């Protein structure tokens, strides 16, 4: 069965600093991987996805993530944090075929300090 | 905008009462999903549908049923609500690029 672990339920960085949110997955075969962002009282918005085309994936709002098969990781980064990045971030994995049900990590709340 | 609406957006109900949540899409996608979000658990799949009258269970399906009589509507029913079903419920659709887009959510409180 697939699973996702997000290291750190809460991450705090200063405005302008590097953002690094960690995600490790477990899957018998390389899966699809996703990062979603959720702003308060809203639904989830897709930031980026990995579908085996390229290991470094660029998404919206300046975020990117690198797929590392040897480490079973898909960490999310942004070079310079902005106050508007404060939100909750979810990593998710899905199978390649069939229903492609998403399995989510528990989420990481990102706080930006001025 | 993926064209997904959920109704109601907020509901407070009492233990033992039936509750139905509706998800409506405007874009004719085949796959639709219901998830629940709880602190510390992320989102967990309740049920999903892969076509009209075609549904299957997810990870946390006990106490829930679903129906899909039209492509655009996917209903989630709690036959007899319990306090453990207090949660935020999200509907999602999957597009042709295998990306899932989420509705705005329904906050359900069971007293």
């Amino acid at each position: 069965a697939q699973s996702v672990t997000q290291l750190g339920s809460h991450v705090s960085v200063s405005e302008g600093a590097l953002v690094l949110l960690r995600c490790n997955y477990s899957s018998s075969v390389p899966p699809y991987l996703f990062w979603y962002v959720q702003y308060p009282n809203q639904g989830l918005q897709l930031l980026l996805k990995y579908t085996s085309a390229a290991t470094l994936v660029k998404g919206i709002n300046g975020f990117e993530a690198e797929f590392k098969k040897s480490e079973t990781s898909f960490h999310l980064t942004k070079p310079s944090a902005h106050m508007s990045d404060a939100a909750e971030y979810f990593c998710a994995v899905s199978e390649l075929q069939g229903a492609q049900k998403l399995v989510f990590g528990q989420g990481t709340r990102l706080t930006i300090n001025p | 905008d993926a064209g997904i609406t959920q109704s109601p957006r907020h509901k407070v109900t009492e233990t033992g009462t039936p509750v139905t949540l509706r998800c409506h899409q405007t874009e004719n996608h085949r796959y639709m999903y219901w998830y629940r979000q709880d602190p510390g658990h992320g989102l967990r799949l309740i049920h999903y549908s892969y076509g009209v009258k075609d549904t299957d269970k997810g990870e946390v399906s006990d106490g829930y049923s679903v129906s899909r009589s039209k492509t655009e509507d996917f209903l989630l029913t709690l036959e007899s609500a319990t306090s453990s079903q207090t949660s935020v419920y999200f509907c999602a659709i999957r597009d042709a690029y295998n990306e899932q887009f989420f509705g705005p959510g329904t906050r359900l409180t069971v007293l």
Side-chain angles (χ1 to χ4, degrees), chain A residues 36 38 49 90 98-100, chain B residues 33 37 94 97-100:
Chain A
Y36 284 86
Q38 184 181 35
K49 67 176 183 180
F90 294 93
Q100 297 186 353
Chain B
Y33 309 80
Q37 182 179 21
R94 194 179 94 200
Y97 301 99
N98 297 321
E99 296 177 0
Q100 288 191 28

Side-chain angles (χ1 to χ4, degrees), chain A residues 22-25 66-75:
Chain A
R22 299 178 187 274
C23 172
N24 288 90
Y25 69 93
E66 186 173 10
F67 172 72
K68 292 187 177 180
K69 182 179 178 181
S70 61
E71 300 177 6
T72 61
S73 68
F74 190 56
H75 302 331

Side-chain angles (χ1 to χ4, degrees), chain B residues 13-87:
Chain B
T13 191
E14 295 187 350
T15 298
T17 60
V19 176
T20 296
L21 308 183
R22 178 180 183 241
C23 177
H24 179 79
Q25 62 154 328
T26 60
E27 301 189 5
N28 209 35
H29 294 296
R30 179 184 173 197
Y31 279 87
M32 299 183 75
Y33 309 80
W34 277 107
Y35 295 87
R36 60 178 287 175
Q37 182 179 21
D38 304 289
H41 291 278
L43 280 77
R44 292 176 291 174
L45 182 66
I46 305 171
H47 281 280
Y48 68 96
S49 170
Y50 48 98
V52 173
K53 293 186 169 52
D54 293 322
T55 65
D56 204 349
K57 296 179 180 180
E59 178 188 358
V60 290
S61 59
D62 287 349
Y64 302 94
S65 62
V66 290
S67 65
R68 192 168 177 198
S69 58
K70 298 184 292 183
T71 298
E72 59 266 35
D73 289 327
F74 191 31
L75 304 181
L76 177 70
T77 297
L78 291 65
E79 300 291 348
S80 177
T82 67
S83 58
S84 65
Q85 294 176 312
T86 291
S87 187

Side-chain angles (χ1 to χ4, degrees), chain A residues 2 5-6 20 24 38-39 53 56 59 61 67 70 80 86 94 105:
Chain A
Q2 296 176 318
T5 301
Q6 292 184 238
L20 171 60
N24 288 90
Q38 184 181 35
Y39 298 102
L56 183 62
N61 301 339
F67 172 72
S70 61
S80 178
S94 83

Side-chain angles (χ1 to χ4, degrees), chain A residues 1-69:
Chain A
Q2 296 176 318
S3 66
V4 173
T5 301
Q6 292 184 238
L7 299 176
S9 59
H10 194 178
V11 170
S12 182
V13 302
S14 299
E15 190 173 17
L18 171 72
V19 175
L20 171 60
L21 304 183
R22 299 178 187 274
C23 172
N24 288 90
Y25 69 93
S26 173
S27 179
S28 57
V29 296
Y32 288 159
L33 291 158
F34 305 83
W35 275 100
Y36 284 86
V37 61
Q38 184 181 35
Y39 298 102
N41 298 314
Q42 294 187 23
L44 278 70
Q45 180 182 5
L46 181 64
L47 272 179
L48 50 80
K49 67 176 183 180
Y50 166 77
T51 56
S52 76
T55 57
L56 183 62
V57 181
K58 294 186 183 298
I60 62 172
N61 301 339
F63 284 93
E64 63 181 36
E66 186 173 10
F67 172 72
K68 292 187 177 180
K69 182 179 178 181

Side-chain angles (χ1 to χ4, degrees), chain B residues 6-17:
Chain B
Q6 293 184 231
S7 58
R9 294 293 313 279
H10 301 270
K11 186 170 181 66
V12 179
T13 191
E14 295 187 350
T15 298
T17 60

